[in-house]
Amino acid sequence: MTSVDLNADMGESFGPWVMGQDAALLEVITSANIACGFHASDPDVMAATMKLAVDNGTGIGAHPGFPDLQGFGRRRMQLSPASLRNLTAYQLGAAQAMAGMAGGKVRHLKLHGALANMCAEDKAMALAAYEGALSVDPEIIVMVLAATQQQAAVEELGCRWAGEIFADRAYNDDATLVDRSLPGAVIHDAELAAARMVRMVQAGAILTESGKHIPAAVDTICLHGDGKTALQIARAVRAALEGAGVTLEVFPGRTGGV
Amino acid sequence: MTSVDLNADMGESFGPWVMGQDAALLEVITSANIACGFHASDPDVMAATMKLAVDNGTGIGAHPGFPDLQGFGRRRMQLSPASLRNLTAYQLGAAQAMAGMAGGKVRHLKLHGALANMCAEDKAMALAAYEGALSVDPEIIVMVLAATQQQAAVEELGCRWAGEIFADRAYNDDATLVDRSLPGAVIHDAELAAARMVRMVQAGAILTESGKHIPAAVDTICLHGDGKTALQIARAVRAALEGAGVTLEVFPGRTGGV
Amino acid sequence: MTSVDLNADMGESFGPWVMGQDAALLEVITSANIACGFHASDPDVMAATMKLAVDNGTGIGAHPGFPDLQGFGRRRMQLSPASLRNLTAYQLGAAQAMAGMAGGKVRHLKLHGALANMCAEDKAMALAAYEGALSVDPEIIVMVLAATQQQAAVEELGCRWAGEIFADRAYNDDATLVDRSLPGAVIHDAELAAARMVRMVQAGAILTESGKHIPAAVDTICLHGDGKTALQIARAVRAALEGAGVTLEVFPGRTGGV
Amino acid sequence: MTSVDLNADMGESFGPWVMGQDAALLEVITSANIACGFHASDPDVMAATMKLAVDNGTGIGAHPGFPDLQGFGRRRMQLSPASLRNLTAYQLGAAQAMAGMAGGKVRHLKLHGALANMCAEDKAMALAAYEGALSVDPEIIVMVLAATQQQAAVEELGCRWAGEIFADRAYNDDATLVDRSLPGAVIHDAELAAARMVRMVQAGAILTESGKHIPAAVDTICLHGDGKTALQIARAVRAALEGAGVTLEVFPGRTGGV
């Protein structure tokens, strides 16, 4: 039977500042990518978020980012490979501790923001970041943007991984995302997004704007929780997948190529 | 045969700023208290320091502090018990990851600066901080300032612990440190410091200025590495202990009262 | 004719995290206390907030706090007098620049959070912080909590100042605030708060719970903008004062004792 | 009579961490570029550094950088033009306050590290950063790397500026610096550096490796203070210029093209 995971970022509050709708999202997703204090969150937010994830039986992921709270880790920074390795290891370690404190365990890792984007383009960067994580936990499942340099990196490393597609983004024929400045790049219609996800999950492939069918590791779908529309899309995707008989569960992790 | 551990803080550089003489200290000490990024250090400094400690076979400790780089964790801050618990857990987790990356393991925890001072006075604070650490690793050995509320806390928690005395500080009859503003409070003479340490280790007691003998958990001696004098004292203490037939080795950890 | 100023904190967002309802508050208040980047805000938030204040013709104040974003400047920190002086000067300078960029000018200064609370209790701390501000701008109007050590400090300094009372807090007979844990300490009823403010402004005095009448510098009323109730109280206070014929305008500043 | 300014970065300590040899450098230079708390320094370090500069009669410059203490502002970050404008304004304002507190005045501005390098390549970035500074102080003298996009920006803005050359770097024929990886790119010989500076100052031109003579705004020479060699070069440059009859004084600032 076909199954897929639904993931979303969470625990992105910081000090007195609240972000996101974590409680609502947790009713929809099966895996949570939890911020680790560099681009968002702090030890108190992490403790509360880990508890929430454990209480909901959600798969827990560390979600490391650049050390840039003001920029929310969305501003590109040029770091050495050693620094990438070390900051990923550090944040994963912190996440493991906070998960353990809540009675849970970090089972996956997903990079955040500009760090993720740069690693999707640059395999050397992805290798550095993932090596940092694997040196801390060789069994961790690395969540990658399917068909990017992130995937090339995990294939080269031979580690456990899971491929991710976006619920609300259109794809080019080379499996890259359609540029946000182009019409149709971002999907705002919940039913449309949901229908596309059902097709891609059932096909085990990325379906591009032109109709091309690119076999891909469709292990998890990236959902968002910011804003009303995002939550509507998240719920619609889940409902449509359930309606189509797809099992929603945490990804088991895979190794090797697609 | 009598044995004792020698500990010192290290890995207190940050970004481009170098602090301390870690390499020289590592030749003297048996346990290192390694900063975790809140009051000093960063993932790169931690990675390098952990490697240095592993290469020297030094016992590794996490050394969490207040989130205050500018103040080096020496400025008192009023945090809730939950925040104390969480920041200790977070920093310990980060230290575990960085130690693991270097092929080592965190075996003890020692609080830093104002956090340590406040916990030496306030058992509730010490309990909160130590509970954070123990929820991450129930087997960790908590290094406490002997005969303070830190020790009261570990006795209450029933966890593994080690008692610490200072090489360069004079003691009052209630086992507190002589106030720094008083003459003789800080010992600058390396031979004097060394001779005192031999006596206290052999006696298994704190010897006060007035000559009082307070049985204490003399498991480890706190040395410093900043400045020429500190390193001289550190070396003199080590040499004197070796000369007196005391074995220098990492503390095994104890449980229960003294 | 009687006049009074209405002030509120604003510009307390940080990076991607939004806080407060600044636009709505600006329709009510006459003076804004604008965060300076240490406990909240960043250069981008400051630029936007200064522009909003200038566009609304609101009196601009610098609102420095402790360097503690996670704690929102609400956690007490022990800093040296020199550090208090320097951090106040630094934040005021930054605020002056951002105000100037928006075509405005910083005319007052109000301390934030734990820094304000500690300075309300400790004249030496207040002196240090205010000296920092006055060394940058000797003409700045220091907003103080009426009848506290903050006021004692400005009287001693001989600088321009303005006294502040709270719209939503009950007072003890020594002009301190009733402890938050006691019933009636915080006023949640908008009409009640409004009526009290009219009486205090007209009396030029703090009116305590027991009915005592303490002559005070009632130059400005502190309003809040967080939550629906706070905005309701703010609007009710403004409406009641206008209904009672009180002019709402920025305080001119005073010197000397009450 | 020919004159030139000698500038160096200073005030780059942070909290407990000391960097540089500011006191020794101040005997050599005529203008100081003082860090503003984003890539280095804090309010306490700034206060002390400003005082030192005022006591030495040194021209004071604000030296803003990226918000990246760990990376010392040397890691490239992608910021929006608005953010560049705001962070420059903010840091300049803070510097003005700290200078004023010490009885001095900020007369110039020089960008730091990666921010400077990116602005030397990208005029739009330079324009954004300089506009931020000029909106705070239209009379400020912007120190630019001669013959780079920094210079193009100040010429376009029509503001006061001063051109800078390096004492210890070799130049290509297009006035860019010889890549550090090439032999001879960095000059370590104090006498050689000094002789080159005398020639360039007297020529009012950059002299390239191939012997080309590029007329340039040689208003100030950038010296370094880190390490023994740097200080030797600084002193040798000063001595050689004095020996050649060049007056060493703060640049007056210029407007328009070279």
Side-chain angles (χ1 to χ4, degrees), chain C residues 36 44 83 86 89-90 101 135, chain D residues 36 44 83 86 90 97 101 135:
Chain C
C36 301
D44 295 336
S83 288
N86 295 333
Y90 182 100
M101 205 180 188
S135 73
Chain D
C36 301
D44 295 335
S83 287
N86 295 333
Y90 182 101
M101 203 180 189
S135 73

Side-chain angles (χ1 to χ4, degrees), chain A residues 36 44 83 86 90 101 135, chain B residues 36 44 83 85-86 90 101 135:
Chain A
C36 302
D44 295 335
S83 287
N86 295 332
Y90 182 101
M101 203 180 189
S135 73
Chain B
C36 302
D44 295 336
S83 287
R85 200 153 38 230
N86 295 333
Y90 181 102
M101 204 181 189
S135 73

Side-chain angles (χ1 to χ4, degrees), chain C residues 15-87:
Chain C
W17 294 281
V18 177
M19 182 182 285
Q21 313 174 69
D22 290 1
L25 257 187
L26 280 166
E27 295 172 10
V28 179
I29 62 174
T30 47
S31 288
N33 317 307
I34 298 178
C36 301
F38 274 43
H39 71 277
S41 195
D42 59 53
D44 295 336
V45 169
M46 283 181 87
T49 307
M50 291 294 180
K51 177 143 190 356
L52 213 54
V54 168
D55 289 350
N56 279 270
T58 312
I60 293 174
H63 192 45
F66 280 136
D68 177 20
L69 284 168
Q70 188 201 336
F72 196 57
R74 285 182 176 153
R75 304 191 290 203
R76 292 185 173 225
M77 295 180 71
Q78 276 192 358
L79 271 66
S80 70
S83 288
L84 291 171
R85 201 154 36 231
N86 295 333
L87 72 78

Side-chain angles (χ1 to χ4, degrees), chain A residues 36-38 42-48 80 82-87 89-98 100-101 131-133 135-136, chain B residues 36-38 42-48 80 82-87 89-98 100-101 131-133 135-136:
Chain A
C36 302
F38 275 43
D42 59 52
D44 295 335
V45 169
M46 283 180 86
S80 70
S83 287
L84 291 171
R85 201 154 36 230
N86 295 332
L87 73 77
Y90 182 101
Q91 293 181 68
L92 172 54
Q96 288 176 325
M98 302 318 285
M101 203 180 189
E131 281 165 3
S135 73
V136 174
Chain B
C36 302
F38 275 43
D42 59 53
D44 295 336
V45 170
M46 283 181 86
S80 70
S83 287
L84 291 171
R85 200 153 38 230
N86 295 333
L87 73 77
Y90 181 102
Q91 293 181 68
L92 172 54
Q96 288 176 325
M98 302 318 285
M101 204 181 189
E131 281 165 2
S135 73
V136 175

Side-chain angles (χ1 to χ4, degrees), chain A residues 2-8 28-33 57-60 107-108 110 143 162-165 167 197 201 218-223 237-238 241 246-253:
Chain A
T2 311
S3 73
V4 77
D5 173 89
L6 301 177
N7 80 79
V28 180
I29 62 174
T30 46
S31 287
N33 317 307
T58 311
I60 293 174
R107 67 187 301 274
H108 78 271
K110 175 179 171 177
M143 194 188 286
E164 173 187 53
I165 60 170
M197 285 303 101
V201 168
V218 182
D219 300 320
T220 181
I221 297 172
C222 181
L223 301 172
V237 167
R238 184 179 176 103
L241 289 165
V246 175
T247 306
L248 298 172
E249 60 186 2
V250 292
F251 44 79

Side-chain angles (χ1 to χ4, degrees), chain D residues 19-54:
Chain D
M19 182 182 285
Q21 312 174 71
D22 291 1
L25 258 187
L26 280 166
E27 295 173 10
V28 179
I29 62 174
T30 48
S31 288
N33 317 308
I34 297 178
C36 301
F38 275 43
H39 71 277
S41 194
D42 58 52
D44 295 335
V45 169
M46 284 181 86
T49 308
M50 291 293 180
K51 176 141 192 358
L52 213 52
V54 168

Side-chain angles (χ1 to χ4, degrees), chain D residues 173-243:
Chain D
D173 278 1
D174 62 354
T176 59
L177 298 173
V178 174
D179 192 283
R180 277 178 180 278
S181 62
L182 298 177
V186 181
I187 297 155
H188 299 289
D189 183 289
E191 294 315 313
L192 174 59
R196 290 174 73 250
M197 285 303 102
V198 171
R199 286 202 305 277
M200 293 201 201
V201 168
Q202 287 178 332
I206 290 170
L207 306 179
T208 72
E209 284 305 274
S210 74
K212 198 175 156 191
H213 180 285
I214 307 173
V218 182
D219 300 321
T220 182
I221 297 171
C222 181
L223 301 173
H224 299 290
D226 39 329
K228 203 169 179 180
T229 317
L231 205 51
Q232 279 176 345
I233 291 180
R235 286 172 177 152
V237 167
R238 183 179 177 103
L241 289 165
E242 285 177 330

